[in-house]
Amino acid sequence: MLAILIAHAVAAILAPPLVRVMGRNAFLPLALVPLASLGWVIANWGTEQELNIRWASAVSMDIDMRFDSLSAVMCLLVLGIGSLILLYCARYFEDDEPRLGIFAAEMVAFAGTMFGLVTSDNMLVLYTFWELTTVLSFLLVGHYAERASSRRAATQALLVTTAGGLAMLVGIIILGQLVGSYNLSAVIEAAPAGWLPGVAIVLVLIGALSKSAVVPLHFWLPGAMAAPTPVSGYLHAAAMVKAGIYLIARLAPAFADAAPWRPIVITLGLVSMILAGWRALRAFDLKLILAFGTVSQLGFLTALVGIGSREAALAGLTMVIAHAMFKACLFMVVGVIDHSTGTRDIRKLAHLGLKTPILAVVAALAAASMAGLPPFIGFVGKEAALEAALVAEVLPEWARIAVVAGMVLGSILTLAYSIRFIWGAFGRKQLKRPSPAVQSLHAPGPLLLSAPSLLAVGGLAAGFAAPWVDTLVSPYADTLPASLAKPYHLALYHGLTLPLALTAVVIVGGISLYLAHRTVARLRFEHPPLGNADRIYDATLRGMDTLSTRLTSFIQRGSLPLTQATILVTLVLLPTVLMFVFGAGNTPAFRVWDTPWQFTVAVIMIGGGIAATVMRNRLAAVLMVGVTGYGLGVLFALQGAPDLALTQFLVETVTLVMFVLVLRKLPPESDPQAEIGKRGPRALLGIAVGAVVTVVGAFAVAARTAEPISLQLPELAYELGHGKNVVNVLLVDIRAWDTLGEISVLLVAATGVASLVFRTRRFGTAPRVSDAPASQLDAAGSNSEITWLRGGDLIDPRYRSLVLEVTTRLVFPTMMVLSVYFFFAGHNAPGGGFSGGLVAGLALVLRYLAGGRYELGEAVPIDAGKILGLGLTFAAGTALFSLFLGAPVLSSAVLEVTLPLIGDIKLVTALFFDLGVYLIVVGLILDVLRSLGARLDAEVVGERR
């Protein structure tokens, strides 16, 4: 199974260059991939295959796959019809078709994704494939991106199916948590009962019904006919829309008796069958007739597999096979008609059957199977469906009658629009000569006709081979309770039975309804009885846009203080209300302090906070805020956390520098009239936030009942991470994925700051001395006798500090050595890449403050973006390096080497990850200095670079 997924992934990657070389003929070798995969399915038919790959067990994301009887039937359709569709594409498209290579890749990837969906046992992995089909459907439906109709249809399909998928995800999580396993096999074996599983089932059904376009979530499917015909023939007939049917069939053995199951599945299924069948009689576009017919048939299938009896499951799976064959065939026939005549409008087609008799025969065979006429497989499945509804003991008698009546009415409509499709496409329509579109047609080639012909003949052959089809679908049907003492089996003829009589009623009723089509045509309601779902969708989007606009204008008025206040008020109110309503749990034990030093530091921090509130001078207020930050670092040190203390001191220093750089562009004091709100309420809000965070943290600690994992961290850090510094090993090994995400955010933040400052374009390195204007260089050379910093010579003497320059010249190398020491020592002692990077960044800050922007360019003549990119490359590359050494991704592997004269050297791969962190911190500070410092300096002196 894994090999099949890999094969489709590789084929999807190779598809664009293959199309570039071979043109449309590239679809022929690509069709061999699903065809070969089908060979594996056939070779393993009747067996159960399992694949278990441990991946992310902590979050229940192991790759668990299972191939059984139901999966086999679905794989037969997905891979078999997928290979025929790719064969069809080889002649449907022209070599100059735009984006044909991407289209081929998406089609092959879709086949592999559907295979993964129907073979996934882990529900979270199934959901991943589920959403991949949604994304690929969006891309395929929107293939003609230059057309507004295609973009709208793709977006509509994406929104509806994604919304349903999100609801399904919630249901999956509920079921997984209740059962204790996210594997479908475990959930079905130990199906939970009660109101909460009922809610979960409803949510899962929402996802399934949205994917299978069942009323009221059906409207996206007719719109998706804007896609190329091969997409309609594959995704919207045989593959993607069957995903919901598959999921309902998969869950039916366990949940068919759940209270909400049958009312939802059967009712909505039959409503879809009848309403969409009626709508198909009003369409004039051949693809729309088939689209509404597909919605109708999907409703029929949903009701069948949802009944939850052996007979219904047998009929439902038979109809799934029949529907995939005749509907894929008919979509391909429409594609041939459109390809040959340039139109799909039945009002513009006349005498086409005489011009293309083979195509007419193929279409007639498929339409007869769709209409349920003997001896086709569609007839076998429909007769089995009527029998299953008549004998379904799981339904009360009135429900059985209603279901049978609904199926008969829906089948009458199906026969009527089947005749309308054939006559509309191939009939004479009382015209003596072919219509202009038919007169100018070019005959389709044999390769274009081969795929639909195989499916049409297959539907006929499967009808005669009904007992053989029975052997394919019975293993799954046997997993559900039987309503008959003697098992029901598929056959072309069961004698003179009630289902046969009902079939005769369907045939007479369908023909009569079609003959009265003129009357039907006049029954076009100006406003549909149940409303227009497409317009409801548009109205819903407009309403959501209006609501979001008004809500945004209310809570986000462009005022940073107001936005921040909204967030902080929510932070205060939400936990407080929840604690009062649901209770806070165990009462925490508070201690005022452990040592008097803590109290002393706390008083200083409180004083700094109050001073920051009352001061009007911006710089003084920032310094007071810095006092609280440094005080926190002292508290960390007093609590025996030197790593945290060191990091806090360094971060606070860098933050103060950034504040100072920004404050240069602001007035020294704030204007009382320009302030938003009063200081008192803002101070109270700050106190409330601090109090709530403290109380919630205390209650969270008190709620702990198990032994904290932190007690095991020192031992784990040394054994797994090969380091004694627990904090650093956590960052670069045990929680390296978190660190990788955080440094990625830092990189994005640096890019965002630079983009906001530079506005028009990003500038590379900071300017060097050689980049200064010639007049400024001449003045610097004549005025300077001793040069401590080259950039300092270019500073206006009024703002130059010789003491600072001399100090920087002496301190800078020391700081860089200290930075390197922290980097190398951090795995076993306080320090690490983050601390080392901050020290190096502060050294650059000192160099900039003493020598100006030109000195910054002299210190690091490298673009900050390149340093950031190199750091991210080192951090991410450690994942591959660890794998090569046999360790899990982003974990520590030991590399031991012996060098002459030096001796044994033991390197841990986490060192390279830490190097990435170091470079990103240095690059971030350099980027901030370059943007908030050097760039603003240039604007102050009037330079425009």
Side-chain angles (χ1 to χ4, degrees):
M1 287 183 280
L2 185 61
I4 292 177
L5 292 176
I6 294 174
H8 281 80
V10 172
I13 294 172
L14 296 178
L18 200 61
V19 170
R20 195 175 300 114
V21 173
M22 300 179 61
R24 63 180 184 175
N25 290 326
F27 284 99
L28 298 177
L30 291 175
L32 296 177
V33 177
L35 186 62
S37 303
L38 181 61
W40 179 90
V41 171
I42 295 173
N44 291 275
W45 201 281
T47 67
E48 287 197 6
Q49 304 288 329
E50 292 188 0
L51 174 68
N52 306 104
I53 301 176
R54 290 181 61 82
W55 182 45
S57 302
V59 291
S60 303
M61 278 292 287
D62 291 335
I63 310 298
D64 295 323
M65 305 185 75
R66 189 164 176 260
F67 177 81
D68 58 9
S69 56
L70 180 58
S71 299
V73 173
M74 299 304 298
C75 289
L76 176 66
L77 303 180
V78 168
L79 299 174
I81 295 182
S83 60
L84 290 176
I85 291 288
L86 290 173
L87 175 68
Y88 176 81
C89 288
R91 289 299 175 267
Y92 178 81
F93 293 107
E94 301 296 336
D95 287 329
D96 58 353
E97 175 78 16
R99 299 181 295 277
L100 187 58
I102 298 298
F103 178 86
E106 291 163 355
M107 288 291 283
V108 175
F110 187 88
T113 302
M114 276 299 302
F115 175 83
L117 189 154
V118 299
T119 56
S120 293
D121 193 30
N122 186 308
M123 292 188 293
L124 296 177
V125 176
L126 182 148
Y127 174 76
T128 302
F129 284 115
W130 187 279
E131 290 305 302
L132 283 175
T133 62
T134 297
V135 173
L136 288 170
S137 170
F138 168 75
L139 296 173
L140 289 167
V141 172
H143 175 67
Y144 299 120
E146 64 278 3
R147 302 176 184 173
S149 59
S150 294
R151 297 195 299 272
R152 170 185 164 80
T155 304
Q156 190 179 68
L158 178 70
L159 290 178
V160 174
T161 54
T162 300
L166 290 174
M168 185 181 79
L169 177 61
V170 177
I172 286 174
I173 293 173
I174 294 175
L175 290 176
Q177 292 300 111
L178 289 175
V179 175
S181 172
Y182 280 88
N183 282 3
L184 268 171
S185 53
V187 171
I188 293 171
E189 183 179 353
W195 70 270
L196 187 55
V199 171
I201 286 301
V202 171
L203 293 172
V204 172
L205 286 177
I206 290 173
L209 297 177
S210 68
K211 184 73 86 172
S212 290
V214 174
V215 169
L217 302 173
H218 65 289
F219 53 90
W220 67 266
L221 182 56
M225 294 304 107
T229 298
V231 175
S232 303
Y234 189 31
L235 276 66
H236 306 138
M240 189 183 83
V241 293
K242 294 296 195 304
I245 306 298
Y246 161 76
L247 190 58
I248 294 173
R250 177 64 76 186
L251 295 175
F255 296 102
D257 292 328
W261 180 276
R262 291 190 179 96
I264 293 176
V265 173
I266 297 177
T267 302
L268 293 181
L270 292 177
V271 169
S272 300
M273 186 181 186
I274 295 169
L275 288 183
W278 172 258
R279 184 65 181 82
L281 289 174
R282 299 170 54 202
F284 293 98
D285 187 309
L286 288 173
K287 280 185 76 173
L288 277 181
I289 294 174
L290 292 181
F292 284 110
T294 300
V295 174
S296 177
Q297 293 289 312
L298 289 172
F300 183 32
L301 296 175
T302 299
L304 273 179
V305 298
I307 289 176
S309 67
R310 180 192 178 278
E311 294 76 17
L314 186 73
L317 218 51
T318 304
M319 283 304 302
V320 166
I321 296 174
H323 178 264
M325 295 175 71
F326 63 67
K327 195 55 66 73
C329 172
L330 290 173
F331 270 118
M332 284 191 276
V333 167
V334 172
V336 174
I337 294 173
D338 193 12
H339 192 273
S340 301
T341 66
T343 183
R344 301 193 304 258
D345 193 328
I346 60 176
R347 293 167 295 188
K348 298 179 181 180
L349 297 171
H351 292 265
L352 182 60
L354 296 177
K355 289 283 188 177
T356 57
I358 296 177
L359 185 64
V361 171
V362 169
L365 292 176
S369 183
M370 179 169 66
L373 299 179
F376 296 90
I377 186 63
F379 164 76
V380 174
K382 196 160 291 186
E383 189 177 54
L386 293 171
E387 176 69 21
L390 287 168
V391 302
E393 294 182 350
V394 294
L395 300 176
E397 184 176 356
W398 66 267
R400 290 201 296 271
I401 296 173
V403 170
V404 171
M407 288 182 178
V408 170
L409 179 56
S411 299
I412 290 173
L413 291 167
T414 302
L415 180 60
Y417 68 69
S418 298
I419 300 174
R420 185 167 186 261
F421 175 88
I422 294 298
W423 183 253
F426 300 99
R428 298 182 179 182
K429 308 200 180 90
Q430 300 178 350
L431 296 178
K432 295 182 179 180
R433 63 184 64 184
S435 59
V438 175
Q439 284 180 341
S440 60
L441 71 80
H442 57 277
L447 194 58
L448 190 62
L449 291 174
S450 59
S453 299
L454 283 173
L455 290 173
V457 174
L460 177 61
F464 286 107
W468 176 74
V469 176
D470 186 90
T471 62
L472 300 181
V473 298
S474 287
Y476 163 73
D478 291 338
T479 62
L480 288 108
S483 299
L484 298 173
K486 183 180 179 181
Y488 180 89
H489 292 287
L490 299 177
L492 191 57
Y493 181 67
H494 287 91
L496 299 177
T497 60
L498 182 55
L500 185 61
L502 292 175
T503 299
V505 172
V506 167
I507 294 173
V508 173
I511 294 174
S512 302
L513 181 59
Y514 173 72
L515 293 177
H517 69 281
R518 292 184 179 179
T519 303
V520 173
R522 288 195 295 268
L523 296 179
R524 296 181 190 170
F525 299 102
E526 188 69 24
H527 300 288
L530 298 180
N532 188 306
D534 205 45
R535 293 176 184 172
I536 295 173
Y537 163 82
D538 290 335
T540 302
L541 288 187
R542 287 195 301 271
M544 294 175 66
D545 286 341
T546 302
L547 177 63
S548 62
T549 301
R550 292 180 178 176
L551 184 62
T552 302
S553 63
F554 178 73
I555 64 175
Q556 295 185 10
R557 300 180 181 178
S559 168
L560 182 59
L562 180 61
T563 302
Q564 189 177 29
T566 303
I567 296 172
L568 294 178
V569 168
T570 304
L571 175 63
V572 171
L573 293 180
L574 189 61
T576 304
V577 171
L578 291 178
M579 288 177 67
F580 274 108
V581 172
F582 297 103
N586 297 330
T587 303
F590 288 98
R591 290 198 307 272
V592 180
W593 64 72
D594 292 324
T595 66
W597 287 107
Q598 292 176 332
F599 176 74
T600 303
V601 174
V603 170
I604 296 173
M605 293 173 65
I606 293 172
I610 295 174
T613 304
V614 300
M615 285 185 173
R616 295 194 180 278
N617 184 279
R618 287 189 169 94
L619 180 58
V622 167
L623 292 177
M624 289 300 100
V625 172
V627 168
T628 64
Y630 286 119
L632 182 61
V634 173
L635 291 178
F636 285 149
L638 292 174
Q639 288 296 112
D643 254 304
L644 293 178
L646 175 63
T647 304
Q648 178 65 28
F649 286 135
L650 294 173
V651 169
E652 194 63 41
T653 304
V654 173
T655 304
L656 281 175
V657 171
M658 293 182 184
F659 266 117
V660 171
L661 292 176
V662 174
L663 290 179
R664 294 182 303 161
K665 297 288 289 184
L666 298 175
E669 293 189 358
S670 60
D671 185 1
Q673 296 180 352
E675 290 184 0
I676 299 176
K678 296 182 179 180
R679 294 193 174 201
R682 285 188 287 172
L684 292 176
L685 178 59
I687 294 172
V689 170
V692 167
V693 170
T694 302
V695 171
V696 170
F699 275 101
V701 172
R704 185 188 298 278
T705 57
E707 184 181 74
I709 194 174
S710 59
L711 299 177
Q712 305 174 29
L713 287 180
E715 182 180 356
L716 292 174
Y718 189 75
E719 292 181 356
L720 300 180
H722 309 284
K724 297 179 182 179
N725 184 353
V726 177
V727 175
N728 185 260
V729 173
L730 274 174
L731 292 175
V732 299
D733 184 299
I734 299 175
R735 300 191 64 177
W737 281 105
D738 289 349
T739 306
L740 183 62
E742 290 161 3
I743 60 178
S744 301
V745 171
L746 281 177
L747 192 147
V748 172
T751 303
V753 169
S755 300
L756 289 173
V757 172
F758 291 119
R759 295 189 297 274
T760 55
R761 64 183 181 91
R762 285 184 63 97
F763 291 81
T765 60
R768 303 187 66 178
V769 171
S770 58
D771 299 327
S775 59
Q776 196 173 358
L777 288 173
D778 294 339
S782 60
N783 295 331
S784 179
E785 296 180 359
I786 299 176
T787 299
W788 292 97
L789 298 175
R790 291 192 63 194
D793 293 341
L794 301 177
I795 298 179
D796 190 318
R798 293 175 298 174
Y799 306 113
R800 188 176 180 185
S801 172
L802 185 60
V803 174
L804 183 58
E805 289 185 29
V806 174
T807 304
T808 301
R809 182 69 178 265
L810 297 174
V811 172
F812 179 79
T814 304
M815 294 183 70
M816 293 304 298
V817 171
L818 181 63
S819 166
V820 174
Y821 167 77
F822 280 146
F823 168 69
F824 282 106
H827 210 55
N828 295 292
F834 191 72
S835 299
L838 287 173
V839 172
L842 286 173
L844 294 175
V845 168
L846 184 61
R847 192 87 172 257
Y848 163 72
L849 292 176
R853 65 186 187 280
Y854 292 109
E855 185 62 29
L856 184 62
E858 293 294 326
V860 185
I862 305 173
D863 183 7
K866 294 179 180 178
I867 298 176
L868 290 168
L870 183 62
L872 189 62
T873 301
F874 266 108
T878 305
L880 296 176
F881 197 55
S882 300
L883 284 177
F884 285 134
L885 295 178
V889 176
L890 285 180
S891 63
S892 297
V894 178
L895 183 64
E896 298 184 12
V897 295
T898 303
L899 298 178
L901 301 178
I902 298 177
D904 294 335
I905 295 179
K906 180 180 178 182
L907 289 176
V908 181
T909 55
L911 179 70
F912 302 102
F913 184 87
D914 222 9
L915 177 60
V917 175
Y918 180 95
L919 291 174
I920 284 180
V921 173
V922 172
L924 174 66
I925 295 176
L926 181 63
D927 207 34
V928 171
L929 290 175
R930 187 175 59 95
S931 55
L932 297 181
R935 178 61 178 167
L936 296 183
D937 287 343
E939 292 182 357
V940 168
V941 299
E943 289 183 15
R944 292 296 180 264
R945 302 183 59 235

